[in-house]
Amino acid sequence: MIKVWVLVIVMFYNGFPSKGTSNSNNVTRPSTVNVGAILSFNSTIGGVAKIAIQAAVDDINSNATILNGTKFNISMQDTKFSPGFLGIIDSLILMEKGTVAIIGPQYSEMAHVISHIANEMQVPLLSFAATDPTLTSLQFPYFVRTTQSDLYQMSAVADIVDHFQWRDVIAIFIDDDHGRNGVAALGDKLAEKRCKISYKVPFRPNNNNNISEEEINNALFKIALMESRVIVVHIVADLGLKVLKVAQSLSMMGSGYVWIATDWLSTVLDSNPSLSTSSAMNDIQGVITLRMYTPDSELKRKFVSRWNNLTLKMNHQEGPFGLNTFGLYAYDTVWVIAYALDALFSGGNNNNNNNNNNHNILFSNDSSLNLLRGDSLHLDTMGVFINGSTLLQKILEVNQTGLTGRMMFDLDGNLLNPSYEIINVIGTGVRRIGYWSESYGLHTGEEVPNDGNSSEGLYGVIWPGQTTQTPRGWVFASNGRHLRIGVPLRVSYHEFVSRIEGTDMFGGYCIDVFFAALNLLPYPVPYKFVSFGNGRTNPLNSELLHQITIGAFDAVIGDITITTNRSKIVDFTQPYIESGLVVVAPIKELKSSAWAFLIPFTPMMWFVTGMLFLIVGVVVWILERPFNDDFRGPIRRQLVTIIWFSFSTLVFAHKEKTVSTLGRLVLIIWLFVVLILSSSYTASLTSILTVEKLSSPVKGIKSLVVNNDRIGIMSGTYAENYLSEVFNIHRSRLVPFNSLSEFEKALKDGQDNGGVAAIIAERAYMELFLSTRCQFGIVGQEFTKMGWGFAFPRDSPLAIDMSTAILKLSENGDLQRIHDKWLTRSACSSEGAKQGIDRLETKSFWGLFLLIGIACLIALLCYLIRMTYRFRRHYSNSTNLEVPSSSSCSSCLKSFFSFVNEKEK
């Protein structure tokens, strides 16, 4: 009880201020430096680490180039599988000995607690085995991780899951800091890949790992009933082997299962070479595991060759045991401390307050600990390591090559450039199938050079059950229970979904598509149809989909439209038919008018065309009059000639000949314009007189929105909510119907007789409705783009496989053949009423009009220039006449026009 109270006081006492006087050791380099280590000697990791740490200390002390004569003294404490109270006591005992750094602890949960003590005592804590990602925190500035964090290991696991396109995994873990936080990191990394942990199996922490097989059996039995078959095991070594053994006895190590073990399994395989020849190998066949990657080097090979001698020398157990990666990191951890101490002794203390004692290892007595004087732990002798912050900085600045590769740290105290080997257990050994690195993800090459020669992905895997085919990763839950597939029991449109009389089976277009897609799946799907509805009215699709969310149905098939709100509660497959909303209304054929020949051109077009005929006639008359007798004579004759010539060009029947160059140029361009106008007029008139002309008082959805007419809709569909929410049509205007006969009667009665002005429904329904009812038609355009799909629970893998099957049906033509079987259109169905006549407008010909206008202006300008030049030349050459003076403009103009009026020879 006294020790417990001492612990409470130490852990929760606020602050250890550095008060008191310093020790009197003023030696430039101490003769001995004390470093502590907290291990569990009898564990797989601790046993190897103990030998590796002692070997590193011996190598350092025998190396004259490091520490320059200062003896490196290691003090190890055995926690005996206890990551709790005893480990804390061990750390306090190490603090009494003037320890400048602590190697360990081995367990993450112990590291959380001891990190608080290290913070107060300012003693760096270097752990080669505590992989809990949450230890990297501002809360623990003196914690340095000399191994790889589980954050990166879980990233590798998530990449493996995503590589094989699995979406759900089951996590088995120990419910302590190490297991719980590691699985939390796995969940975060899976979420980044749009995957998730669908079920968690925590085991209670137990110091002796004596969890019974009955507990394991019960946990695995629950897993066997789950849908996911991808299982990630993140626990301690001894318990992990028990789990896999029980899984083997439950036939859960066979085909279809995926087992991914974190680095605990590779550690066991490396540490226990005899395991490969034991029956335990049968329990782990096909398992994928990870191992921290350490590159091959001459330094590593020499140490591996020494390992057997080291184990025989330092270990009292019978025979040697294998070296695992944690042993390599433990060895390098000692060297990191040695390099940092050497830098501290050589470079001095960077703390400005202690420049006078920069080569000393100094501890300060804390007056607060005097309260604990007299206790058997001698906690009052503990001192704050004055050089601790500087030593921590030197540790983080270490950049040396060790057995595990380059030892460099980031600002958070984590090793840089983490990477893992991906290993597949096969036969009596293991096979490396790839690598994972933080920068490149999964790849098959040992190193990924800048030129990217290493390929992405993994080599082939031998899965449980000795198969090379990648498992699907999931099965139908509840131990093979048949899927309950909901089918709407509709009272109309039996071409889509209908129950076969006297049976529980269904038929129709939607059912045939479902069967065809089901046949393309690479696995059998047990199912049974369950009808939904009373058979008197169409059931609401929203209520049908709600049955999936409450677990009543495992899927829903039928004429179910995919909408945004529905996609929030269920997962839909790829659409297998497009069916947007359309407006259907009564239509009638337009009767031809006596003035139908005027319809092709708008009134403005007629006016502009007529004016152009007259303008061109006048221009040609002006250009031809000086040379051509056809354009001379009395004024009345000349007016008739202008009008006759202009309009006769419409049919190219003009008898007057053009003799002037400018006149011919204008006429050629004008005849081209007339050709285009007459051709366009003829084509438009032909289309108007030959194409069926349908008329309806309803012009489309826009006309229905602005008036107050009643609108018919199909009951049970999304149309009512869509029209009221998107177009703000009051629900009182929407009249639901269940059958085709009700649709037909309501449209025939019309708005004035208690019926409806139009029907708004999905195109697929309306095409069937119109196939035998020619008096109705689709007016306007389809104003939504929707599709039908099969519905499944959220994140259902079957929805993905069914979508792939539907795409295959579309590509091979089977989907169209099923459509033609059930939904062949009749010649009576109309694509829509022609609500407007495509009349030709002036803007369609402004280019031609501009061309003839420019031609006329240029011709007139050239004619005017020519006549002016000839007029001046004529009067200048005359001997009897003088050129009129500028003062008599009127007489000049009169003379000019008289000259122009004269016929030229």
Side-chain angles (χ1 to χ4, degrees), residues 451-470:
D451 57 6
N453 291 332
S454 298
S455 59
E456 297 180 356
L458 299 171
Y459 290 119
V461 181
I462 305 297
W463 302 101
Q466 300 299 311
T467 177
T468 58
Q469 182 178 0
T470 302

Side-chain angles (χ1 to χ4, degrees), residues 2 210 213 235 374 377 475 556 584 605 690 754:
I2 294 176
N210 58 356
E213 289 192 3
I235 50 182
L377 287 176
V475 295
V556 166
V584 173
M605 182 67 181
T690 57

Side-chain angles (χ1 to χ4, degrees), residues 224-474:
L225 300 179
M226 298 293 166
E227 189 175 78
S228 176
R229 284 292 181 265
V230 182
I231 306 169
V232 178
V233 185
H234 182 56
I235 50 182
V236 295
D238 294 340
L239 181 58
L241 294 177
K242 283 185 181 180
V243 169
L244 295 178
K245 180 179 180 181
V246 174
Q248 176 72 19
S249 65
L250 295 176
S251 301
M252 295 177 65
M253 297 297 297
S255 179
Y257 280 90
V258 177
W259 290 84
I260 302 176
T262 52
D263 54 11
W264 64 266
L265 181 57
S266 62
T267 301
V268 171
L269 294 173
D270 293 339
S271 305
N272 189 1
S274 61
L275 186 64
S276 60
T277 59
S278 67
S279 60
M281 287 297 292
N282 296 328
D283 302 332
I284 58 176
Q285 292 297 304
V287 176
I288 294 178
T289 185
L290 290 86
R291 176 196 288 148
M292 289 179 286
Y293 172 69
T294 56
D296 193 21
S297 64
E298 182 66 24
L299 187 64
K300 179 180 174 182
R301 286 192 293 270
K302 289 181 179 179
F303 185 78
V304 171
S305 64
R306 297 169 50 198
W307 182 251
N308 287 340
N309 294 331
L310 291 174
T311 55
L312 293 175
K313 176 182 177 182
M314 302 181 185
N315 188 40
H316 299 293
Q317 299 178 359
E318 296 181 359
F321 51 91
L323 173 64
N324 56 49
T325 52
F326 288 102
L328 299 177
Y329 279 110
Y331 181 90
D332 283 349
T333 301
V334 182
W335 276 91
V336 167
I337 297 175
Y339 286 128
L341 286 172
D342 187 60
L344 176 66
F345 298 152
S346 301
N349 194 335
N350 293 332
N351 190 337
N352 293 332
N353 296 328
N354 296 293
N355 287 335
N356 295 330
N357 300 314
N358 56 0
H359 292 161
N360 295 332
I361 293 180
L362 303 176
F363 292 87
S364 67
N365 295 327
D366 197 310
S367 59
S368 300
L369 295 177
N370 292 333
L371 298 174
L372 305 177
R373 189 180 303 276
D375 184 77
S376 58
L377 287 176
H378 305 292
L379 297 179
D380 57 316
T381 63
M382 295 170 55
V384 176
F385 184 23
I386 295 178
N387 309 90
S389 60
T390 305
L391 178 60
L392 175 64
Q393 184 64 32
K394 297 299 182 182
I395 290 174
L396 297 179
E397 292 174 356
V398 168
N399 185 2
Q400 297 290 337
T401 300
L403 302 181
T404 58
R406 205 69 179 171
M407 298 294 290
M408 297 175 60
F409 301 93
D410 59 21
L411 296 178
D412 294 327
N414 285 317
L415 280 178
L416 295 176
N417 304 319
S419 57
Y420 286 84
E421 299 176 69
I422 315 299
I423 296 172
N424 185 203
V425 181
I426 303 173
T428 59
V430 296
R431 172 174 169 263
R432 185 187 299 111
I433 59 174
Y435 299 86
W436 179 92
S437 62
E438 183 184 12
S439 302
Y440 298 97
L442 296 175
H443 50 91
T444 55
E446 183 172 355
E447 293 182 0
V448 181
N450 294 329
D451 57 6
N453 291 332
S454 298
S455 59
E456 297 180 356
L458 299 171
Y459 290 119
V461 181
I462 305 297
W463 302 101
Q466 300 299 311
T467 177
T468 58
Q469 182 178 0
T470 302
R472 191 169 74 244
W474 64 277

Side-chain angles (χ1 to χ4, degrees), residues 126-132 143-150 152 263 292 325-326 329-330 333 404 407 409 413-416 418 420:
L126 291 79
S127 179
F128 61 90
T131 57
D132 177 8
F143 177 81
V144 179
R145 195 196 314 271
T146 57
T147 187
Q148 299 183 25
S149 171
D150 277 341
Y152 305 111
D263 54 11
M292 289 179 286
T325 52
F326 288 102
Y329 279 110
T333 301
T404 58
M407 298 294 290
F409 301 93
N414 285 317
L415 280 178
L416 295 176
Y420 286 84

Side-chain angles (χ1 to χ4, degrees), residues 565-777:
N565 290 334
R566 293 174 180 177
S567 297
K568 294 178 181 179
I569 61 174
V570 297
D571 278 352
F572 284 99
T573 62
Q574 178 78 14
Y576 57 86
I577 187 175
E578 293 184 359
S579 185
L581 291 178
V582 294
V583 178
V584 173
I587 57 175
K588 60 180 180 180
E589 186 175 355
L590 291 174
K591 296 181 179 180
S592 297
S593 170
W595 302 97
F597 67 91
L598 296 176
I599 296 177
F601 284 172
T602 62
M604 178 58 70
M605 182 67 181
W606 280 116
F607 174 76
V608 172
T609 304
M611 291 302 296
L612 278 177
F613 273 100
L614 294 176
I615 292 172
V616 172
V618 171
V619 171
V620 174
W621 173 77
I622 293 174
L623 298 175
E624 290 291 323
R625 190 174 180 279
F627 311 98
N628 197 334
D629 290 337
D630 292 338
F631 292 89
R632 300 182 67 84
I635 296 178
R636 182 179 178 181
R637 178 188 174 187
Q638 294 181 46
L639 290 175
V640 172
T641 300
I642 290 173
I643 296 174
W644 165 254
F645 177 82
S646 298
F647 288 98
S648 63
T649 57
L650 179 62
V651 291
F652 306 99
H654 51 285
K655 65 178 182 179
E656 293 79 10
K657 296 182 178 179
T658 54
V659 296
S660 68
T661 302
L662 294 176
R664 289 176 178 178
L665 176 64
V666 172
L667 185 60
I668 289 174
I669 297 175
W670 172 242
L671 290 178
F672 174 74
V673 174
V674 170
L675 175 64
I676 299 299
L677 289 174
S678 59
S679 300
S680 302
Y681 173 85
T682 303
S684 179
L685 183 61
T686 302
S687 174
I688 291 172
L689 295 178
T690 57
V691 175
E692 182 182 16
K693 299 175 291 297
L694 303 176
S695 175
S696 173
V698 179
K699 306 304 180 183
I701 183 61
K702 293 182 179 180
S703 66
L704 288 175
V705 172
V706 298
N707 60 36
N708 292 320
D709 293 344
R710 288 188 297 273
I711 304 171
I713 59 173
M714 176 175 289
S715 63
T717 64
Y718 74 99
E720 180 177 1
N721 290 333
Y722 183 84
L723 293 174
S724 62
E725 294 174 1
V726 177
F727 291 99
N728 295 320
I729 298 176
H730 199 275
R731 292 181 184 268
S732 61
R733 295 176 53 195
L734 305 177
V735 183
F737 297 108
N738 287 306
S739 64
L740 302 182
S741 59
E742 292 178 358
F743 274 161
E744 183 176 8
K745 183 178 183 302
L747 287 174
K748 286 182 177 180
D749 291 344
Q751 173 73 17
D752 298 333
N753 298 318
V756 296
I759 297 290
I760 295 181
E762 295 176 60
R763 177 178 284 274
Y765 299 130
M766 291 298 96
E767 288 179 348
L768 282 177
F769 174 75
L770 298 173
S771 62
T772 56
R773 297 168 177 84
C774 298
Q775 68 272 37
F776 309 114

Side-chain angles (χ1 to χ4, degrees), residues 9 125 208 699:
I9 294 173
L125 186 66
N208 297 320
K699 306 304 180 183

